[in-house]
Amino acid sequence: LLGKDHADVIRTYNEMGNAYLYQQMNIEAIEYYKKALEIRIEKLGKDHSSLAPTYHYIGSIYFLEGQINEAISSFESAIEIWNKCSQQDPLVFSGCLLDLARCFMNKGLAYKAIPLYLQAENIKINIVGKNSAEIANLYSWVGTAYLENRQFKEAINYYEKARQIFNNRENSQLEVALLYEKIGICYSSENQMEKALEYHQKASEIRKKYFGK
């Protein structure tokens, strides 16, 4: 008989989790992933680097299930482990930071999301380049977090950074229009109505050209 901490037992639990996940039985999948995780924690210790991706994966499933508090707990566990590691996959780590930020935005906690977005920004620029569409989208998310936190100048700054990138990319007119609209909302929130109208008009003009109306 195999002991409960045997590698084959862990593998079986993970495979059962995969099978349940394939059938979209997400809660059952999490149950088996966590069983495998508990054994690995006993064998390797709670801070072993190999545990972080599993926590991240479980958090992603919780998020899909709308269990945001559980997702936050899992993402935070992953990040805590990665922060203690001398080596980490920057792409995966930044993805976990963004997932946790998304959870906080979902709960209306923009002030908690902002530092996570900024940390992910510093990492992802080195991976995908400062003028990529991925960075432009990230700038837009940061802008929205600042907007929800009523830091309007900071929001405008990040929306403008996103707009400048999209302006130089083909087939991005609608993204530019949306950013003009968001900047308009920021100015409106600051009671700068003339500036707000200016940006809403810019958004409208782009949409008229795009849709031909």
Side-chain angles (χ1 to χ4, degrees), residues 200-213:
H200 286 304
Q201 286 176 336
K202 287 181 179 182
S204 178
E205 288 167 7
I206 289 174
R207 289 193 175 109
K208 284 177 182 177
K209 289 179 182 177
Y210 187 87
F211 293 111
K213 294 181 180 179

Side-chain angles (χ1 to χ4, degrees), residues 103-123:
C103 287
F104 285 133
M105 291 297 290
N106 185 281
K107 291 178 69 69
L109 300 173
Y111 72 96
K112 287 190 173 184
I114 290 168
L116 295 166
Y117 280 139
L118 297 180
Q119 187 178 356
E121 174 194 343
N122 291 331
I123 297 170

Side-chain angles (χ1 to χ4, degrees), residues 164-179:
Q164 288 169 13
I165 295 173
F166 280 127
N167 253 355
N168 294 318
R169 300 183 68 86
E170 293 183 2
N171 303 316
S172 297
Q173 302 97 316
L174 291 181
E175 286 84 353
V176 172
L178 181 59
L179 288 162

Side-chain angles (χ1 to χ4, degrees), residues 36-177:
L37 182 64
E38 287 168 5
I39 296 171
R40 292 170 65 204
I41 290 171
E42 288 181 14
K43 292 187 66 170
L44 302 172
K46 63 183 179 67
D47 294 327
H48 196 274
S49 60
S50 68
L51 304 177
T54 304
Y55 277 120
H56 185 193
Y57 194 49
I58 291 172
S60 299
I61 301 171
Y62 272 131
F63 185 85
L64 289 174
E65 284 294 303
Q67 298 189 31
I68 305 303
N69 289 334
E70 290 80 0
I72 288 173
S73 178
S74 293
F75 291 144
E76 286 180 334
S77 294
I79 290 169
E80 182 179 355
I81 292 171
W82 271 319
N83 278 331
K84 294 176 181 178
C85 296
S86 57
Q87 292 183 335
Q88 55 190 221
D89 183 328
L91 186 61
V92 176
F93 180 53
S94 61
C96 192
L97 292 170
L98 292 175
D99 287 337
L100 181 55
R102 181 169 56 166
C103 287
F104 285 133
M105 291 297 290
N106 185 281
K107 291 178 69 69
L109 300 173
Y111 72 96
K112 287 190 173 184
I114 290 168
L116 295 166
Y117 280 139
L118 297 180
Q119 187 178 356
E121 174 194 343
N122 291 331
I123 297 170
K124 290 190 79 68
I125 284 176
N126 291 325
I127 301 171
V128 300
K130 63 180 182 180
N131 294 316
S132 69
E134 196 171 342
I135 293 300
N137 284 322
L138 176 52
Y139 285 157
S140 180
W141 299 337
V142 178
T144 298
Y146 276 126
L147 174 59
E148 291 194 11
N149 208 43
R150 300 190 64 79
Q151 294 176 258
F152 303 121
K153 288 183 173 58
E154 291 84 353
I156 291 169
N157 178 47
Y158 269 90
Y159 285 144
E160 282 288 1
K161 289 167 76 170
R163 183 193 63 77
Q164 288 169 13
I165 295 173
F166 280 127
N167 253 355
N168 294 318
R169 300 183 68 86
E170 293 183 2
N171 303 316
S172 297
Q173 302 97 316
L174 291 181
E175 286 84 353
V176 172

